[in-house]
Amino acid sequence: MALTALVAAASMALAGCGSAGSNGASDSGASGGSGAFLAAGLFPTTGSMAYIGPSNVATLKLAVDDINAAGGVLGKDASSTTADTSDADHADQNTSAAQSVLSKNPSVVIGPPSSSVVKNSYKQVTAAGVPMISNGATSTAFSGLDKMFFRTIPPDTVQGAVLGQVIAQAGVKNLAITVFNDEYGTSLRDVVVKTVEDAGVNVVYGAKDTFDPTETNFSSIATAVKASNPDAVLVIAFDQTVSLVKALKTAGVDTHKLYMTDGNTVDHSEDFESGLIEGTTGTIPGAHPTDEFQARVKKIDPKVKDFTYAAETYDAVILAALAAQKGGATDGKTVAKNLPAVSGVGGGEKCDSYKACLALLKDGKDIQYKGQASIGPFNDAHDPSTASIGIYKFGADNKPVFDHAQEGSVPKA
């Protein structure tokens, strides 16, 4: 994998609130039954990933606003609808949220950002003839998952490889890994293990061990980690991270030598005492949103603070709208058929906005949309062919600050 360092500086914070109707869904326009383009979002506004939901909902609305400002899709205004999926511990809500948005006849479903929630809902969506474009599901098992499944986020073959290289390059010789038994967690862990072991690092705990996602008492796990005498500890989890890290500290593990992933590389300023995880390194797949883009999202929802998968959400909507425009219809099958083409699979002129791409399409030209996430064209497995992984450093305030990005090619299935 060829890696290129891109240096920038920015900061991240944590979001905690979102809104939904009484049935967990919200709308911003007419249904797809009108023949107009309808983008549906399956995002978590409750549960362990609730911090992701608000920015995803706001970004979906922003993309639709930009589409309409440029003239809409096939001359009609686009609209959006969303439903709260919660997390994988609420499988019934995963499926009921999917059913809620499918009842409105969408052109595309954006999300869910969780691999486990995708696993619980993608067949329901794709069987209805609607493409699903996940903005955050990174499971390696999803490459080539279904002809109607796409993603604007790279699989964990990329994040895991980059994180493993970062760990090895830091001089770690003995690594412990704490990971929850989840589609996302174990697939990412397996790639990290292979990468670090190939680099000569010993995995002294966690190569096969996992904990239940509903676990709340981590004292025995922390004791086992301490007994393995690691140089550093990788924590792969969501909101379980807070209790787990505190248990590691109590057990005598050095919490300044932790590594985290996109599930927990978030603002922990209110979770831990000052400086508890200072020095920790985290990774987040995808591009770091620019300050300008973040400001535009906040105009939609001023409460948004965390922008995880916001760029990937935006690009998924724009790609789907361009696919409908190119195909001449807003139904799901037309959108799915034309997604590879507008992503640039066959080449074409690069364009970085819906307005610019729309003008090229109207002139009969082939395009390659290069948007906020800056991913490459979809490959045969419907993964982005190139993508970047953001590297973050935690300061004394326990907040992650963007350090740089490493970009690499995404392997085919």
Side-chain angles (χ1 to χ4, degrees):
M1 180 184 301
L3 300 177
T4 304
L6 308 171
V7 182
S11 63
M12 288 188 65
L14 182 68
C17 81
S19 61
S22 59
N23 63 351
S26 60
D27 297 292
S28 67
S31 75
S34 65
F37 179 84
L38 173 63
L42 290 178
F43 307 130
T45 55
T46 59
S48 61
M49 298 182 70
Y51 69 93
I52 291 175
S55 71
N56 289 185
V57 172
T59 303
L60 176 66
K61 294 177 180 178
L62 174 63
V64 169
D65 285 350
D66 287 349
I67 290 166
N68 291 338
V73 179
L74 299 173
K76 293 184 178 181
D77 277 354
S79 59
S80 65
T81 184
T82 62
D84 174 22
T85 59
S86 189
D87 54 31
D89 291 332
H90 298 83
D92 288 347
Q93 189 165 340
N94 300 167
T95 55
S96 64
Q99 187 57 47
S100 174
V101 298
L102 286 174
S103 69
K104 298 176 174 62
N105 192 27
S107 307
V108 65
V109 168
I110 310 299
S114 160
S115 294
S116 292
V117 178
V118 165
K119 190 174 182 179
N120 291 340
S121 59
Y122 84 91
K123 289 183 179 179
Q124 190 177 358
V125 174
T126 59
V130 179
M132 173 181 277
I133 310 177
S134 177
N135 56 335
T138 56
S139 171
T140 57
F142 291 172
S143 295
L145 180 66
D146 186 282
K147 65 180 181 180
M148 299 287 280
F149 178 81
F150 298 77
R151 52 183 166 184
T152 49
I153 196 77
D156 282 327
T157 44
V158 180
Q159 179 178 198
V162 169
L163 179 56
Q165 291 165 5
V166 168
I167 291 170
Q169 291 165 3
V172 174
K173 298 300 181 184
N174 297 297
L175 176 70
I177 303 175
T178 56
V179 55
F180 57 177
N181 189 9
D182 170 273
E183 182 76 30
Y184 155 79
T186 55
S187 67
L188 178 54
R189 184 270 312 274
D190 292 346
V191 178
V192 173
V193 168
K194 183 180 186 307
T195 304
V196 297
E197 288 185 340
D198 287 349
V201 178
N202 298 314
V203 179
V204 294
Y205 177 87
K208 298 297 180 183
D209 306 275
T210 61
F211 62 83
D212 191 282
T214 61
E215 183 63 70
T216 56
N217 187 340
F218 294 96
S219 59
S220 61
I221 294 174
T223 299
V225 168
K226 176 63 177 176
S228 70
N229 196 29
D231 300 328
V233 179
L234 168 60
V235 179
I236 304 177
F238 293 142
D239 58 354
Q240 306 91 342
T241 300
V242 177
S243 297
L244 175 53
V245 170
K246 289 179 178 179
L248 291 172
K249 176 66 174 178
T250 300
V253 175
D254 188 349
T255 55
H256 300 114
K257 295 181 180 179
L258 301 180
Y259 290 88
M260 295 185 180
T261 63
D262 54 312
N264 49 17
T265 298
V266 297
D267 181 355
H268 288 296
S269 59
E270 296 184 5
D271 299 328
F272 304 129
E273 62 186 66
S274 179
L276 181 65
I277 58 172
E278 182 179 5
T280 288
T281 298
T283 54
I284 298 179
H288 184 80
T290 65
D291 291 344
E292 179 185 3
F293 181 74
Q294 291 185 38
R296 296 190 69 218
V297 174
K298 287 180 71 67
K299 282 187 177 180
I300 301 292
D301 182 358
K303 295 180 180 179
V304 170
K305 295 181 180 179
D306 184 281
F307 293 86
T308 302
Y309 308 138
E312 289 73 25
T313 300
Y314 184 89
D315 284 356
V317 181
I318 299 301
L319 281 164
L322 290 170
Q325 181 72 36
K326 181 176 178 60
T330 60
D331 63 281
K333 290 183 179 179
T334 298
V335 171
K337 181 180 179 180
N338 288 277
L339 276 169
V342 297
S343 76
V345 166
E349 288 193 41
K350 290 183 179 180
C351 45
D352 62 3
S353 68
Y354 181 78
K355 182 178 181 180
C357 292
L358 179 63
L360 292 172
L361 287 176
K362 287 183 175 180
D363 286 342
K365 296 180 180 179
D366 292 330
I367 64 169
Q368 179 181 345
Y369 172 67
K370 198 77 170 177
Q372 295 296 324
S374 195
I375 60 171
F378 290 120
N379 62 21
D380 291 343
H382 292 174
D383 292 331
S385 55
T386 60
S388 57
I389 305 295
I391 314 297
Y392 294 76
K393 299 290 186 180
F394 282 84
D397 58 359
N398 299 319
K399 294 180 180 181
V401 177
F402 181 68
D403 186 67
H404 70 280
Q406 294 185 187
E407 186 173 287
S409 299
V410 180
K412 294 184 180 181

